[in-house]
Amino acid sequence: MLQMLRHAAGTWVAKLLLLLLVASFAVWGISGQVAGGFGDKVVVAGDASASTTDYRLAYDRRILTLSRQFGQRITREQARSLGVDNQALAELVSGTLLDAQAQDLGLGLSRQRLAQIAGSDPTFRGPDGRFDRGTFNAVLREVGMRPEDYLRSQSQVAVRQQIVAAIADGTDVPDTYLSAVALYRGERRNAEYISLTPKALPEPAAPSDEELTEWYEQNAAQFDAPEYRDVSLIVLDPAAIADHESITDEKVADEYERTQSRYGQPEKRTVQQLLYPDMQAAEAALAKLEGGADYDVLLSDAGRTVSQATLGSVTKSDIADPAIADAAFALESPGTTDIVEGKFGPAILRVTEVTPPSATPLDEVADDIREELALSQARNELLSIYDTYEDARAGGATLTEAAERIGVPVRRIEAIDAQGAGKDGEPVADLPEAENLLTGIFDADEGLENPSENLRGDGFVFYEVNGITPARSRPLDEVREEALAAYKAEKARGAVNELATTLEQRLREGDELAAIAGELGLSVQTVTDLKRDSQNQSLAANAVEAIFGVPSDGAGNVRAADGQTYIVFHVADVFRPVASGAGAVADSEQTAFSRAVSDDLLRQLVDRLETVYAPQIDQGAAQRALSY
């Protein structure tokens, strides 16, 4: 039962009550607080109350649970940011409301039943598997709880569960409801549709100056010029400070030798190996070779096939036995070796193929090696140069002067908006990949030094705002072409919408979709066996929903996700699922539906208890409970 108490807030019922009561604080949290306080009572509801100790225990239990989840002790600051104090308070209110209801109903728990609860908790069992008072006291001391507090809490939990169980248990969903679910999910439909775009209609006529002016006045906000900022940047990264001239030809050559495997392939040989149990057997085999026998004869004598004896096409380092490797790569050409004394006994080898080594000449990779060495050296010097820049700024140097001191150029961007675009509307090229750079630029004051931003790779960006051009409304003459295009696009969308509505009505009146499509020069598309949860490549989810929103032989239209296209459809066939009884719904889903019904009943209970008992919270007492 102690485990149940510790994890009570983790059960689905407790979570439900908690969520409901947390939500209710938004409604009555202000009026439900009292100024005078209740002494050591944090919550009062009817004749029931919860003390500062109760609140602190609820708070500590939540801290313990979160600490276990995160694998480390949660601090007070972290707990506050996670809202643990409010969650514990909500838990306390839910319990107090149930306590008040239990008192009015005269519910209680006998001492004998309470003893049974404590005795059945495996946490308190001794080595003999039975309840042990010493273990009982030790465990409670560990969690900071007195025995009488534990017993009172267990009594409260048991009584509260009587109320919750009376409401939530045994709430089975009717078969009629489950059958409706099966029908809803299993229904399939065949439909035909056409896609209407502005291209299907003549281009809207150009507006008169008066019409465009009137339209622009109603839509001027979408053409406002954004705020622009003139900013200077310094990008301090390895590429900016790499000193290629300090990388001598000797260093490049040394690095080439050290990493030569990167620039070529080592020699490979196809090697076959025959191992012998002793030297006598190996010498007999060698004698056959020297007498003119082929290596294949040795394989046959040993009962081995070529594939079984072949080590593969290997480099010298691929062969684990040094003696075998040396012998195989000592042959000047394909052939057989003498007896080799390897780790696993005497062996005779055959090399059937030699692939010579290949290497890219140093001249072809020298520039790449020099670049890598210069960047590696720059990374080692990056923090030192960063300190040099910061020291220069601290000493009164301007951004430009500090940049000169570290040998890094200043980049001037004369106009950039909060989305990273210039005045031409195009993204500013080569903007440093600092996640918060734009935010920092638009939060900064003009002419002041700002903290650096970290690059996503390695490095820093320093910036300074030189000037600010405020956002402004632009006159029509300045954006006439854009305004005209937007006007025509809006009119085209409206015309497509109107046409879709007209075509839908024609379908409802009995016209054939094929005939309508022929008039417009469009093709009819079809979908078959469509279900509500279908992932259809040609139809978006809202179109599928619309198709299931009309009866068989019904018609409709819906706007596509691009905002320009309209889908006009006709439902040709509707098929009921073969299995549409309650049994078609999985047991796990039936359980979930039953729980949802229980949730609804519990929500009504909580609403009623709040109305009857009007819980009050003493925030001062709550704060005192967490002050020690």
Side-chain angles (χ1 to χ4, degrees):
M1 277 302 170
L2 180 61
Q3 292 173 334
M4 180 183 67
L5 176 62
R6 289 171 178 166
H7 301 292
T11 65
W12 70 272
V13 171
K15 285 180 179 177
L16 169 70
L17 291 173
L18 171 62
L19 291 173
L20 290 173
L21 285 159
V22 167
S24 72
F25 286 142
V27 178
W28 51 261
I30 302 300
S31 61
Q33 297 175 15
V34 297
F38 312 116
D40 70 338
K41 297 177 181 178
V42 176
V43 178
V44 173
D47 294 332
S49 63
S51 68
T52 53
T53 301
D54 295 325
Y55 179 47
R56 183 55 187 262
L57 286 173
Y59 179 85
D60 287 344
R61 279 198 304 272
R62 289 195 166 272
I63 290 287
L64 181 60
T65 300
L66 288 173
S67 297
R68 287 173 176 170
Q69 290 175 356
F70 290 113
Q72 63 181 28
R73 179 69 182 178
I74 300 299
T75 66
R76 284 286 184 87
E77 291 73 20
Q78 292 169 331
R80 188 178 299 108
S81 66
L82 293 170
V84 173
D85 49 354
N86 288 331
Q87 294 168 15
L89 194 57
E91 179 185 335
L92 204 64
V93 171
S94 67
T96 307
L97 286 169
L98 292 174
D99 291 343
Q101 176 71 15
Q103 289 181 17
D104 283 355
L105 294 175
L107 300 179
L109 200 68
S110 67
R111 294 178 61 85
Q112 181 180 4
R113 177 57 183 151
L114 193 56
Q116 290 176 348
I117 292 174
S120 63
D121 191 334
T123 309
F124 301 140
R125 291 175 184 171
D128 59 357
R130 296 188 298 179
F131 176 79
D132 181 76
R133 181 169 291 277
T135 303
F136 175 78
N137 292 328
V139 170
L140 292 181
R141 280 197 302 272
E142 180 185 351
V143 299
M145 182 182 290
R146 298 180 304 172
E148 54 268 32
D149 292 332
Y150 167 76
L151 295 174
R152 180 174 57 83
S153 296
Q154 289 309 302
S155 178
Q156 287 178 329
V157 168
V159 170
R160 292 168 185 172
Q161 286 183 333
Q162 291 180 43
I163 299 174
V164 172
I167 296 295
D169 288 357
T171 50
D172 294 329
V173 176
D175 287 350
T176 303
Y177 178 88
L178 296 174
S179 295
V181 170
L183 281 170
Y184 181 86
R185 292 178 174 178
E187 181 182 317
R188 296 174 295 110
R189 295 192 170 202
N190 296 339
E192 55 183 356
Y193 67 94
I194 57 174
S195 298
L196 295 179
T197 67
K199 293 180 180 179
L201 297 173
E203 182 179 347
S208 65
D209 287 343
E210 292 77 11
E211 290 173 329
L212 183 60
T213 299
E214 181 182 357
W215 179 88
Y216 185 79
E217 289 174 353
Q218 296 172 355
N219 298 275
Q222 62 181 286
F223 299 96
D224 285 352
E227 177 182 318
Y228 290 103
R229 296 206 164 197
D230 180 341
V231 62
S232 295
L233 302 175
I234 297 175
V235 178
L236 177 58
D237 64 2
I241 60 174
D243 184 2
H244 297 81
E245 294 182 1
S246 68
I247 308 301
T248 64
D249 291 342
E250 290 77 12
K251 289 182 179 179
V252 172
D254 289 345
E255 181 67 10
Y256 177 78
E257 290 298 325
R258 188 181 71 84
T259 60
Q260 196 168 25
S261 60
R262 294 174 53 192
Y263 305 106
Q265 295 293 332
E267 179 183 338
K268 285 188 172 185
R269 296 192 170 200
T270 301
V271 180
Q272 297 170 359
Q273 172 184 264
L274 276 175
L275 292 173
Y276 291 95
D278 51 44
M279 187 59 71
Q280 183 177 355
E283 289 174 347
L286 182 61
K288 284 189 176 183
L289 280 177
E290 293 174 343
D294 188 76
Y295 194 81
D296 289 337
V297 174
L298 300 189
L299 289 173
S300 179
D301 291 345
R304 307 276 287 175
T305 64
V306 171
S307 61
Q308 290 172 336
T310 301
L311 301 180
S313 180
V314 294
T315 65
K316 188 174 183 178
S317 62
D318 290 335
I319 302 176
D321 189 330
I324 299 295
D326 289 342
F329 280 80
L331 294 173
E332 294 183 359
S333 60
T336 59
T337 67
D338 289 335
I339 297 172
V340 181
E341 295 188 22
K343 290 182 178 180
F344 302 102
I348 298 177
L349 312 177
R350 177 168 68 173
V351 175
T352 60
E353 185 180 359
V354 176
T355 303
S358 63
T360 305
L362 173 59
D363 290 346
E364 295 183 15
V365 295
D367 290 344
D368 292 338
I369 294 175
R370 192 183 307 277
E371 176 74 13
E372 290 181 5
L373 291 176
L375 289 175
S376 177
Q377 177 177 284
R379 289 188 185 95
N380 295 331
E381 299 171 352
L382 185 64
L383 292 180
S384 175
I385 295 176
Y386 173 89
D387 291 339
T388 300
Y389 174 89
E390 290 288 4
D391 290 344
R393 294 306 305 266
T398 64
L399 180 139
T400 301
E401 293 168 345
E404 291 175 354
R405 191 168 302 182
I406 63 174
V408 175
V410 177
R411 179 185 178 188
R412 179 80 174 268
I413 301 175
E414 295 185 352
I416 186 171
D417 67 17
Q419 280 66 51
K423 286 190 174 181
D424 58 359
E426 297 296 322
V428 174
D430 301 322
L431 199 64
E433 294 186 0
E435 184 175 358
N436 299 315
L437 180 58
L438 286 172
T439 301
I441 289 173
F442 277 82
D443 285 344
D445 292 324
E446 183 177 347
L448 297 183
E449 182 181 358
N450 304 289
S452 63
E453 296 288 349
N454 293 331
L455 290 172
R456 290 177 182 173
D458 51 351
F460 308 91
V461 180
F462 303 96
Y463 60 93
E464 199 166 284
V465 176
N466 306 312
I468 300 174
T469 302
R472 63 180 178 85
S473 298
R474 293 191 287 193
L476 175 58
D477 289 342
E478 186 178 337
V479 291
R480 181 171 291 275
E481 290 186 7
E482 296 96 322
L484 181 59
Y487 172 90
K488 287 184 175 182
E490 181 180 294
K491 294 300 181 183
R493 286 194 300 270
V496 173
N497 183 16
E498 184 177 347
L499 176 61
T501 302
T502 300
L503 297 182
E504 176 188 338
Q505 185 60 36
R506 287 180 59 184
L507 289 173
R508 292 179 183 275
E509 293 173 355
D511 285 4
E512 296 291 333
L513 186 62
I516 294 174
E519 296 172 7
L520 299 172
L522 301 174
S523 60
V524 177
Q525 296 174 279
T526 60
V527 287
T528 58
D529 281 337
L530 189 67
K531 298 180 71 173
R532 282 183 168 86
D533 57 355
S534 295
Q535 299 294 323
N536 191 281
Q537 293 182 349
S538 58
L539 290 175
N542 67 323
V544 174
E545 182 180 359
I547 289 173
F548 277 88
V550 300
S552 179
D553 200 33
N557 79 84
V558 62
R559 187 169 64 177
D562 63 5
Q564 303 279 342
T565 304
Y566 277 79
I567 306 295
V568 180
F569 62 86
H570 168 248
V571 176
D573 303 292
V574 176
F575 303 102
R576 292 168 59 94
V578 175
S580 58
V585 179
D587 291 344
S588 60
E589 291 183 301
Q590 293 190 31
T591 301
F593 284 130
S594 295
R595 286 184 174 178
V597 173
S598 298
D599 290 353
D600 289 338
L601 294 174
L602 287 169
R603 185 177 295 109
Q604 295 178 46
L605 170 65
V606 171
D607 290 343
R608 176 61 178 168
L609 294 181
E610 287 184 8
T611 301
V612 172
Y613 298 112
Q616 300 287 305
I617 300 172
D618 185 349
Q619 291 288 356
Q623 293 174 5
R624 290 194 300 273
L626 302 182
S627 64
Y628 58 89

